[in-house]
Every structure is written in structure tokens, then in C-alpha cells.
Amino acid sequence: MLYPINIKKYKTLFIIILIANMVLITVPFVLVKMGYVFFPAYKGSKLVSYSLIGLLIAGTLLLQVKYQRKKLIQIAWMPFFDARVKLYDKLFAIRMYWHLVSCMVTAIIIIVTLDTYFFYYGILDVVMAFIYYPRLSLFQRELREENIVLV
């Protein structure tokens, strides 16, 4: 039996979040490079900057990866494909919004610290989102079903 999945809704969400993430990362970077200072009283320090980047990476690894693994195991144990797809819809949306929130936090940190080093973390976050680009192999692996047809 073949199981159809409507790929359009996944691609639409992915592209919207991707564009928003690129704007969120690029605009603060350009503003800081042009010399805009949003918090003149803040002098900044490398310790604060590196601590914040460490917290971003640790938060991503610990919270998001652990949560995703738990949800994928839940999906794998569901007996009906329609129920798996419904739960997977939520997981996919949460992934995309997680990348959006991560880029928002990165943009705020770039503006506050005036440290463009965070721009590279934001670019990494945008690139990492491509792991979840909606494609047949992703759905087959995560829904644990080989007989999927994208419509």
C-alpha cells in the first residue's frame, strides 16, 4: 500500500522560515558593520559573547535534539500511518520554529553585543535547517515507512 504525503505544506513552511531566518541574521550583521550602536552604555566583553554562544549551542543540543528523539520514537510506535503523519506535522513545525527562535535570539545577541561573530552561528543555524528540507528520504526515515509517495 502506498501512503501519500502532501509535500507542499512542508515546503511552504520551510521556505518561509528560511527566508525569515536569513533576514533575521543578515540585517543585524549589516547594521552592526555599518556602525550602528543600539546600547551605547554596554561595552561588551568576549566572556559574555562566548558564554552566550555556548548557551545557544548547548540549548540546541540538549533541548531540541533530546525532544526530537523522544517524538520520533513516539511516532515510530504508532500503529496507523495517518496518526504518525499528524504527529510528524507537529514535530516538523516545531523544528522549523525552533530554527526561527534560534535566529531571533542570535539577531538580538548580535545587536546587543555588537559582536559579528554570532553571524556565523546564525549562518550555521540556517545551513543546519537544510537537514530537514522536505524530501522523500526524510519522510521515509523519520516515519519509518518505505511506501511513501509525495503529492
Side-chain angles (χ1 to χ4, degrees):
M1 181 170 180
L2 294 176
Y3 299 103
I5 292 182
N6 181 4
I7 192 145
K8 185 176 181 179
K9 66 181 176 180
Y10 295 102
K11 282 188 176 182
T12 303
L13 178 63
F14 181 85
I15 290 171
I16 289 170
I17 298 290
L18 182 67
I19 292 169
N21 286 347
M22 287 192 282
V23 169
L24 277 169
I25 295 304
T26 306
V27 170
F29 176 77
V30 170
L31 291 175
V32 168
K33 280 294 192 184
M34 291 175 64
Y36 287 95
V37 177
F38 297 94
F39 299 99
Y42 178 75
K43 299 295 182 213
S45 75
K46 292 294 181 190
L47 177 64
V48 171
S49 295
Y50 294 129
S51 298
L52 289 172
I53 196 81
L55 286 173
L56 278 173
I57 292 170
T60 299
L61 293 176
L62 294 176
L63 299 175
Q64 186 64 4
V65 171
K66 191 173 184 176
Y67 174 80
Q68 285 183 32
R69 188 173 298 135
K70 179 182 166 187
K71 286 297 180 185
L72 286 172
I73 290 170
Q74 269 184 338
I75 289 170
W77 284 100
M78 297 183 102
F80 300 108
F81 185 76
D82 292 337
R84 281 190 269 165
V85 171
K86 190 174 184 179
L87 190 58
Y88 185 76
D89 285 348
K90 292 177 186 174
L91 176 63
F92 187 83
I94 288 169
R95 277 181 182 159
M96 292 299 102
Y97 290 124
W98 175 264
H99 285 286
L100 181 67
V101 168
S102 180
C103 285
M104 283 181 190
V105 170
T106 304
I108 291 168
I109 291 172
I110 291 171
I111 290 171
V112 170
T113 64
L114 301 176
D115 191 350
T116 56
Y117 181 72
F118 289 98
F119 173 74
Y120 302 108
Y121 174 80
I123 293 297
L124 178 66
D125 203 23
V126 170
V127 169
M128 293 298 287
F130 278 101
I131 293 172
Y132 303 112
Y133 181 77
R135 61 192 183 283
L136 182 61
S137 61
L138 177 74
F139 292 119
Q140 288 174 336
R141 182 182 71 238
E142 295 192 338
L143 293 173
R144 297 191 182 186
E145 181 62 57
E146 294 298 319
N147 299 323
I148 294 175
V149 176
L150 302 178
V151 292

